[in-house]
Amino acid sequence: MRVRLVEGASLPSYADGIRQVYADVFSEPPWNEDPSAGDRYVERLAADAARPGFTAALALGGGTVGGFATAWTTPDVFPSGRSYGHVAEALGPGRVEGWLSGALEVDELAVSPDTRGAGLGSALLSAVTEAAPDGRCWLLTSVRAEATLRFYRRAGWHQVPVSVPGRAGLVVLLGPGHPAARP
């Protein structure tokens, strides 16, 4: 499989593969989403592709999608929907503005269970974060996703030592080049 950046307008032609990878990955613990969540993700992806700074990478081989990653620029006016309000509450306005607003936000990263162990996750993550402004990139994940946390730590990401309120057990991770993650 090869990883390549894909423009948002091209994503619909890969929708079936993206849907399947999403369903396969996020129906597993700790996410335990209904497999139909893949349909909702593909619908959301169409809107996400219009976000400023949107970027997507696909792991492709023989016409099969083996994984994907998406990211975009977090607006300067920090959003309040989805989990953003909880993140703002946990970090406070100063850190949100300095660390997250205007930074590249990794939204999703998923590698099919059939293609894991070949470095695709790292390649996808690198592909979508290589253009992070001043190295500023961040993401949310669950503390219950232990393998996911280990993956990001191996990739040099740093967990902000503040829990995000809510049932999901979310934590903020800052990319290896993020100025706030440097010693």
Side-chain angles (χ1 to χ4, degrees):
M1 295 223 146
R2 292 187 50 193
V3 170
R4 69 180 186 101
L5 291 174
V6 178
E7 292 188 17
S10 300
L11 286 174
S13 62
Y14 299 101
D16 289 340
I18 292 169
R19 177 184 299 107
Q20 188 62 54
V21 171
Y22 188 96
D24 290 347
V25 170
F26 293 104
S27 64
E28 293 180 336
W31 313 109
N32 301 314
E33 291 187 24
D34 185 281
S36 66
D39 294 329
R40 291 187 300 279
Y41 176 70
V42 169
E43 290 172 13
R44 180 171 58 100
L45 185 57
D48 289 345
R51 291 174 181 256
F54 178 84
T55 186
L58 297 176
L60 299 168
T64 301
V65 176
F68 65 89
T70 59
W72 54 70
T73 304
T74 304
D76 287 334
V77 175
F78 200 70
S80 58
R82 293 175 59 182
S83 295
Y84 291 109
H86 294 298
V87 170
E89 181 183 338
L91 296 182
R95 289 190 279 188
V96 164
E97 184 178 327
W99 293 0
L100 310 183
S101 296
L104 186 79
E105 174 183 348
V106 177
D107 178 57
E108 296 291 356
L109 172 64
V111 175
S112 171
D114 300 350
T115 60
R116 289 183 186 152
L120 293 177
S122 295
L124 288 163
L125 183 61
S126 293
V128 296
T129 60
E130 68 186 354
D134 301 321
R136 294 174 61 236
C137 53
W138 70 283
L139 60 85
L140 286 175
T141 194
S142 173
V143 294
R144 293 183 279 251
E146 295 172 9
T148 300
L149 285 170
R150 285 191 303 273
F151 164 77
Y152 285 118
R153 286 184 188 119
R154 282 192 311 271
W157 288 65
H158 304 275
Q159 183 175 332
V160 175
V162 175
S163 295
V164 176
R167 294 178 295 149
L170 297 176
V171 291
V172 176
L173 299 177
L174 301 176
H178 197 295
R182 296 181 192 143

